[in-house]
Amino acid sequence: MSSNASTVLPQGAGYGVVVGMGLFFSGLMLVLTFVQKRYTAFSPSNAEEFTSASRSVKPGLIAAGIVSAWTWAATLLQSSAVAYRYGISGPYWYAAGATVQVLLFAQLSAKLKLNAPNAHTFLEIIDVRFGPVGHAVFLFFGLATNVLVSSMLTLGGSATVTDLTGMNTIAACFLIPIGVSIYVVVGGMRATLLCDYTHTAVLFIIIMIFTFTVYGTSDKIGSPKAMHDLLTKVAAMEPVKDNAGGSYLTMRSVGGIIFGVINLVGNFATVFLDQAYWQRGIASHPATSVKAFLLGGLAWFSIPFLMATTMGLAARALMGDPAMKILTDADISAGLPAPAAAAALLGKGGAAALLILLFLAVTSATSAELIAVSSILTYDIYKRYINPKATEQQILWVSHMMIIAFAIFMGVAGTIFYYIGISMGWLYLFMGTVLGSAVVPVALSITWRAANTWGCIAGAVGGFCAALVAWLVTTSKLNDGVLNAETTGQNYPMLAGNVASIVVGGLIAVIWTLVSPNTTFTWEQTRAINSPESHIHHKTAEPSAPGEEDDKDGSEKNQVTEFTQPAGDDDLKGITTEADLDRAALKKAFKFSVWSSVALFVIMIILVPLPLFFSKVVYGVKGFTAWTAIGIIWMFLAVFTVVLYPVYESREALAMVTKGIVKDIFTGGSGRYVAPTAGTA
């Protein structure tokens, strides 16, 4: 596809961003990897470091990594699309409905450190708890999650690049994940988190530029009052169905609250079943994993909330403006209101900024998915079924190959969905129908000792079947038997499928366990996964040399001796030992995570939105100005949390690296990190 009059930027800009920035971040990753190997104690040539960052990352960087992994193309595009459809309720329900899962995941992160501190994947825990059948069932749900998330990334990214530049959609589907795979293979988990940190910092800067343009300097809008007036005029011409007064300035939106429920259920699945979030829990330091997830979740809220309140509402407010593209239903489902608003407000500069913003979001989330899938394919298929005695080098090699293979698969999956007419928005609404049934069983696997194996398996499978039936039957009843991409993607069928999935799956698992609890399982079984004791080497002594046999009787000659050799320091790199765990502190952290995450869930999902929904309030200028100001303040707090705080907490490591670089430059290569010897203070 060549660029044409409808594209704001030339086709070369699309290839320049996708290929050029991909190469730039690959180069950055090479630099970070070199610095890491030379000036710190960590090297990605170690398998534990490559996949789990030696389980030692501090909370600020983990929080930044969570924000990065959770900022999909949909975070920027779908949130703006629901703002365009439903008004201010869309951004709130998108942000709140996808924040609480990360907050609640803090509980699982604490339990992970308590009950399986050395696991590589959540499926290793499933294998120990539920056996081969359970492992196979939840392996399907885990990989299905990664496939759906990855497809949304490629679909959203490619649709926007094509819309703004005319770049070939299929080329974008393949070039985006393949470019990311290069730097992930080079750097591993820790370097990827550092690269994601830079993505997050730039992402916040660009969103702030859009915000202050729309609400401060734009001659088309320029203030909250002007936005309010424009939205009021648009509502008079095109009122929103089932919104109070047809207004875009109210939380009383039936469509908005239905989307909120679908969003809530679907995102439970894509957090609790996505290895990318377990990977961050695994990589975090045991003492601070809960803090990392709470900070990351709260910081992330500001991104979709402010982005959609700015760009989604701007797209609606500018309807009729000569510079504003006319959007079809297909454009809205593809997430194109934000790109259209960026181009209308700032011309080529706005389009370029949105293109970079989207590229950063897609690549950072893609890097998380690549490492997640690589870990599952390596540890839960290759090491579990193909080569149980795989060496560290074999594991590392397979990890690299799986990253490249899944990057290619992402391109293939995105292409297939594109050609059959499935958009990012359709997949976003659908994901909870397919995945929701496994949410409660997976959560029980790490939190409830009595969880019944067959109850959890039956819950996942039974909920999945119930969801498909509810989704298709509802579609058929509402559309006179017509089943296609348009009818199956409607709100009510998707709502039925999502709710049936998580409710039926959870009820089966919980009721079965209450009736027939597991009384034989102990947490020591999951604590043994990849434990220090499992790294003890069993070796065989060589038979006696010929000259030594004269001193032995016949029974001792040529005797083979079995003995064990304790694991050395190299074997235990990245392994959490009992000395590293403060179980009392972890139990205290779990209790804190329970009451804090549940309290935030109640506030965000019940206490704030429901009174506003039932009150039918339509905001005036002051109310809307306050609404916008809250979003801006929240973003500044988020910047402090995930941009400035990680630098502060890593100040000693940064000083050590700086000192090493200075020594290398001025004293002839003496800055290399040297591990302290035994007895050294």
Side-chain angles (χ1 to χ4, degrees):
M1 180 186 294
S2 61
S3 57
N4 54 59
S6 67
T7 61
V8 182
L9 299 172
Q11 190 180 90
Y15 285 98
V17 168
V18 172
V19 178
M21 290 191 69
L23 291 174
F24 169 77
F25 281 108
S26 296
L28 177 61
M29 189 64 80
L30 284 170
V31 172
L32 290 173
T33 302
F34 171 79
V35 169
Q36 178 184 339
K37 290 175 68 174
R38 182 167 182 82
Y39 303 113
T40 76
F42 306 106
S43 170
S45 59
N46 172 270
E48 292 291 336
E49 171 64 20
F50 183 84
T51 59
S52 62
S54 300
R55 298 173 171 82
S56 62
V57 184
K58 293 181 178 179
L61 189 58
I62 290 290
I66 290 166
V67 169
S68 177
W70 203 211
T71 304
W72 304 347
T75 305
L76 308 173
L77 302 180
Q78 180 71 3
S79 64
S80 296
V82 292
Y84 186 87
R85 288 187 189 275
Y86 308 122
I88 64 170
S89 68
Y92 183 86
W93 280 117
Y94 189 102
T99 293
V100 294
Q101 297 86 349
V102 178
L103 301 176
L104 291 168
F105 194 87
Q107 299 179 36
L108 302 191
S109 179
K111 282 293 187 180
L112 175 70
K113 292 301 183 184
L114 270 170
N115 296 331
N118 288 302
H120 301 99
T121 69
F122 77 94
L123 290 165
E124 287 183 330
I125 302 168
I126 295 290
D127 191 24
V128 171
R129 290 232 53 184
F130 302 150
V133 175
H135 186 251
V137 168
F138 289 99
L139 181 63
F140 163 79
F141 283 102
L143 290 176
T145 301
N146 295 122
V147 169
L148 287 174
V149 171
S150 300
S151 297
M152 282 188 281
L153 292 172
T154 52
L155 285 172
S158 61
T160 302
V161 173
T162 299
D163 182 68
L164 291 176
T165 71
M167 179 181 177
N168 184 278
T169 302
I170 308 306
C173 282
F174 280 94
L175 288 174
I176 291 171
I178 290 173
V180 177
S181 71
I182 295 171
Y183 78 71
V184 174
V185 166
V186 169
M189 185 66 181
R190 189 183 302 271
T192 299
L193 285 171
L194 291 170
C195 207
D196 287 350
Y197 167 82
T198 64
H199 287 193
T200 303
V202 177
L203 184 146
F204 275 117
I205 291 171
I206 295 176
I207 292 177
M208 284 184 171
I209 290 172
F210 284 140
T211 301
F212 291 121
T213 297
V214 169
Y215 291 112
T217 63
S218 171
D219 56 358
K220 294 179 182 292
I221 302 177
S223 70
K225 181 181 184 302
M227 175 72 87
H228 181 279
D229 293 343
L230 287 170
L231 290 174
T232 301
K233 290 179 182 178
V234 171
M237 294 184 293
E238 288 193 23
V240 188
K241 183 181 178 182
D242 297 326
N243 274 27
S247 176
Y248 293 92
L249 297 162
T250 179
M251 284 292 288
R252 174 69 179 199
S253 172
V254 174
I257 201 168
I258 290 174
F259 169 78
V261 175
I262 296 171
N263 191 45
L264 185 67
V265 174
N267 283 307
F268 265 113
T270 51
V271 172
F272 282 39
L273 305 184
D274 192 340
Q275 173 61 22
Y277 302 97
W278 292 88
Q279 203 98 20
R280 277 147 180 74
I282 290 165
S284 65
H285 192 279
T288 56
S289 61
V290 169
K291 180 180 179 182
F293 277 91
L294 292 176
L295 289 176
L298 289 171
W300 180 86
F301 178 94
S302 66
I303 294 175
F305 181 77
L306 190 58
M307 177 71 183
T309 299
T310 300
M311 303 306 287
L313 294 184
R316 181 56 81 178
L318 292 175
M319 282 182 62
D321 188 283
M324 182 65 193
K325 174 183 176 180
I326 297 174
L327 298 171
T328 65
D329 284 342
D331 291 332
I332 299 167
S333 183
L336 299 182
L345 287 163
L346 293 167
K348 290 185 177 181
L354 196 285
L355 190 61
I356 293 170
L357 176 67
L358 184 76
F359 178 82
L360 295 176
V362 170
T363 53
S364 58
T366 298
S367 68
E369 294 302 309
L370 289 174
I371 287 190
V373 173
S374 170
S375 296
I376 290 175
L377 297 178
T378 300
Y379 289 104
D380 289 288
I381 294 180
Y382 174 73
K383 194 170 188 296
R384 174 68 176 82
Y385 298 109
I386 299 173
N387 187 5
K389 296 183 179 180
T391 65
E392 182 173 298
Q393 286 306 308
Q394 288 174 322
I395 290 172
L396 205 56
W397 184 84
V398 171
S399 296
H400 291 166
M401 292 303 101
M402 292 302 101
I403 287 170
I404 295 170
F406 190 69
I408 296 171
F409 177 83
M410 283 179 66
V412 172
T415 301
I416 292 171
F417 282 123
Y418 170 73
Y419 274 118
I420 64 177
I422 298 299
S423 68
M424 176 197 68
W426 193 97
L427 284 179
Y428 189 85
L429 298 176
F430 179 64
M431 59 191 180
T433 300
V434 176
L435 308 172
S437 63
V439 169
V440 174
V442 166
L444 296 182
S445 72
I446 193 67
T447 57
W448 196 5
R449 187 193 60 77
N452 182 285
T453 296
W454 293 108
C456 289
I457 294 171
V461 176
F464 174 76
C465 295
L468 292 181
V469 170
W471 170 55
L472 294 175
V473 168
T474 304
T475 303
S476 179
K477 291 291 186 182
L478 294 178
N479 296 279
D480 297 323
V482 177
L483 297 175
N484 55 36
E486 181 181 351
T487 59
T488 55
Q490 293 169 353
N491 274 352
Y492 284 106
M494 289 295 192
L495 178 65
N498 275 261
V499 172
S501 183
I502 197 167
V503 171
V504 173
L507 285 176
I508 292 174
V510 171
I511 293 172
W512 198 317
T513 296
L514 292 173
V515 172
S516 179
N518 186 331
T519 58
T520 60
F521 172 78
T522 67
W523 291 119
E524 294 306 318
Q525 293 170 253
T526 53
R527 289 169 187 156
I529 299 172
N530 195 36
S531 64
E533 291 75 16
S534 69
H535 289 259
I536 293 175
H537 301 295
H538 294 273
K539 295 203 172 184
T540 304
E542 295 295 327
S544 302
E548 297 172 347
E549 292 185 0
D550 296 336
D551 299 328
K552 298 181 179 181
D553 59 35
S555 63
E556 293 179 308
K557 289 180 180 180
N558 298 319
Q559 186 175 16
V560 176
T561 305
E562 296 283 345
F563 68 98
T564 58
Q565 176 179 317
D569 290 341
D570 287 342
D571 299 302
L572 296 181
K573 280 184 178 178
I575 303 298
T576 302
T577 64
E578 192 63 32
D580 298 323
L581 296 174
D582 184 343
R583 295 201 176 275
L586 283 172
K587 289 178 181 178
K588 184 177 179 181
F590 172 71
K591 291 179 181 178
F592 173 75
S593 72
V594 170
W595 71 257
S596 59
S597 59
V598 170
L600 288 167
F601 177 91
V602 171
I603 292 169
M604 288 184 165
I605 303 301
I606 298 174
L607 296 183
V608 171
L610 295 189
L612 291 173
F613 177 84
F614 290 112
S615 69
K616 302 183 181 180
V617 170
V618 175
Y619 284 119
V621 173
K622 290 183 179 179
F624 179 69
T625 301
W627 184 269
T628 306
I630 289 170
I632 294 171
I633 293 169
W634 202 310
M635 176 151 285
F636 275 110
L637 293 174
V639 168
F640 174 82
T641 302
V642 297
V643 178
L644 301 180
Y645 177 57
V647 175
Y648 173 77
E649 70 176 3
S650 300
R651 60 194 182 281
E652 293 180 0
L654 291 171
M656 181 179 71
V657 169
T658 303
K659 184 177 179 181
I661 293 173
V662 170
K663 282 187 176 181
D664 269 349
I665 294 173
F666 296 106
T667 61
S670 62
R672 180 185 294 274
Y673 173 83
V674 178
T677 57
T680 303

